[in-house]
């Protein structure tokens, strides 16, 4: 469960303090999957970065599964992200010199090698990439690379999954398949998913659509503070 209230985020640009995000209230239930849409610059990525504990707001609270992440220090936020958050990006960020399997192994906690292999077998099978696990990113299509990134984000069963334009660099058909895969996996694992997308037909595949241009007051009322 994600509960946001009284949230305000400012950025300083050319000596001006500009309010870029103002959310009075937003709640995403545990296990709910929501698409986040809105025009460029309306604060979609900033919202995800704040829920992920990467960016800290100036005002307000973000309570994730009972704990307010805005009260945590940097080290605690790093631990929160490692334990509870799975991040998926448009550009995959796989390490080019490593195979698909090695990229995923990097995030696995210490466990017996046999258990690790069984877990990897299960996940590569789930996303239909069993034949590709020994390939490096450069030897895979963009859709296949994103499937590896999805495994990497989900394999440790984070309670919250944050996806920032995960289909942004894929062709239309692959994008639809990828979104269905991500939705299906998060639903099966009861994970809360916030997925930024500018693609409205893709957003409509989600049980809920959060329209940032409607809920972000800063977009409606650009406020310069100093
Ligand atoms: N580090 C930063 N410094 C200054 N301004 C920033 C910074 N990051 C974001 N902004 C500003 O905050 C606003 C929201 O940015 P954000 O990236 O969240 O929008 P977005 O809706 O994700 O946009 P897009 O769809 O183009 O990716 C924009 O006006 C942007 O210029």
């Amino acid at each position: 469960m994600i509960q946001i209230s009284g949230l305000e985020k400012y950025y300083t640009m050319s000596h001006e303090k500009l309010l870029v995000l103002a959310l009075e209230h937003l709640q995403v239930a545990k296990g709910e999957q929501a698409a986040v849409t809105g025009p460029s610059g309306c604060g979609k990525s900033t919202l995800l970065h704040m829920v992920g504990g990467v960016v800290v707001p100036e005002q307000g609270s973000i309570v994730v599964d009972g704990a307010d992440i805005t009260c945590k220090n940097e080290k605690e936020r790093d631990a929160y992200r490692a334990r509870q958050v799975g991040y998926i990006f448009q550009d995959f960020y796989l390490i080019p010199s490593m195979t698909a399997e090695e990229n995923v192994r990097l995030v696995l906690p210490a466990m017996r090698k046999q258990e690790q292999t069984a877990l990897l077998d299960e996940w590569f099978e789930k996303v239909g990439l069993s034949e590709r696990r020994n390939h490096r990113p450069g030897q895979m299509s963009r859709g296949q690379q994103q499937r590896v990134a999805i495994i990497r984000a989900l394999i440790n069963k984070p309670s919250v999954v944050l996806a920032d334009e995960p289909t942004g660099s894929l062709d239309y058909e692959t994008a639809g398949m990828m979104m269905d895969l991500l939705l299906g996996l998060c639903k099966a694992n009861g994970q809360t998913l916030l997925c930024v997308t500018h693609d409205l037909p893709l957003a409509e595949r989600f049980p809920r659509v959060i329209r940032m241009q409607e809920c972000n007051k800063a977009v409606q009322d650009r406020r310069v503070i100093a």
Side-chain angles (χ1 to χ4, degrees):
M1 157 98 79
I2 302 169
Q3 293 161 294
I4 293 176
S5 47
L7 200 65
E8 293 191 359
K9 178 66 199 166
Y10 299 86
Y11 281 118
T12 302
M13 279 175 284
S14 322
H15 309 295
E16 280 183 344
K17 200 174 165 195
L18 189 69
L19 181 66
V20 294
L21 194 76
L23 284 180
E24 270 168 23
H25 181 74
L26 178 68
Q27 185 163 311
V28 183
K30 196 164 182 60
E32 187 174 24
Q33 284 104 40
V36 180
T37 67
S40 182
C42 72
K44 304 181 294 296
S45 297
T46 303
L47 173 66
L48 249 56
H49 291 329
M50 287 196 290
V51 174
V54 179
V55 168
V56 182
E58 274 72 32
Q59 287 285 330
S61 63
I62 304 173
V63 178
V64 180
D65 297 335
D68 187 349
I69 58 169
T70 63
C71 298
K72 294 180 191 290
N73 62 33
E74 199 176 336
K75 206 171 155 197
E76 291 167 336
R77 290 200 310 278
D78 287 346
Y80 150 76
R81 223 172 11 260
R83 203 175 44 242
Q84 282 170 262
V85 181
Y87 244 116
I88 300 164
F89 305 92
Q90 177 171 334
D91 292 325
F92 329 130
Y93 296 122
L94 299 174
I95 296 175
S97 58
M98 291 184 160
T99 65
E101 182 176 319
E102 286 164 349
N103 267 279
V104 177
R105 273 188 196 276
L106 279 181
V107 303
L108 288 178
M111 60 172 87
R112 294 212 333 267
K113 195 154 178 141
Q114 240 176 346
E115 280 174 59
Q116 243 188 29
T117 305
L119 193 60
L120 288 163
D121 288 349
E122 178 195 329
W123 276 87
F124 275 91
E125 172 81 36
K126 260 185 206 174
V127 306
L129 268 192
S130 299
E131 312 298 313
R132 298 276 169 175
R133 53 199 273 183
N134 293 319
H135 285 61
R136 286 193 294 278
Q139 300 168 314
M140 288 187 280
S141 70
R142 299 185 71 77
Q144 288 165 342
Q145 290 178 62
Q146 191 58 302
R147 280 189 268 168
V148 178
I150 288 175
I151 301 178
R152 186 186 53 189
L154 302 190
I155 196 163
N156 290 330
K157 294 197 162 45
S159 61
V160 174
V161 178
L162 303 173
D164 200 345
E165 295 279 11
T167 61
S169 65
L170 305 177
D171 65 72
Y172 192 73
E173 197 183 331
T174 312
M177 278 161 33
M178 203 62 59
M179 213 54 117
D180 289 343
L181 176 71
L182 183 58
L183 271 167
L185 290 170
C186 289
K187 194 171 173 196
N189 293 320
Q191 287 158 312
T192 310
L193 170 63
L194 277 183
C195 178
V196 167
T197 179
H198 64 272
D199 187 317
L200 293 183
L202 281 183
E204 275 154 19
R205 295 181 188 216
F206 282 71
R208 178 176 174 195
V209 180
I210 297 167
R211 293 181 172 79
M212 286 296 286
Q213 67 270 44
E214 286 164 23
C215 55
N216 181 9
K217 281 198 166 308
V219 167
Q220 298 142 23
D221 169 27
R222 284 275 175 208
R223 257 192 288 161
V224 175
I225 301 304

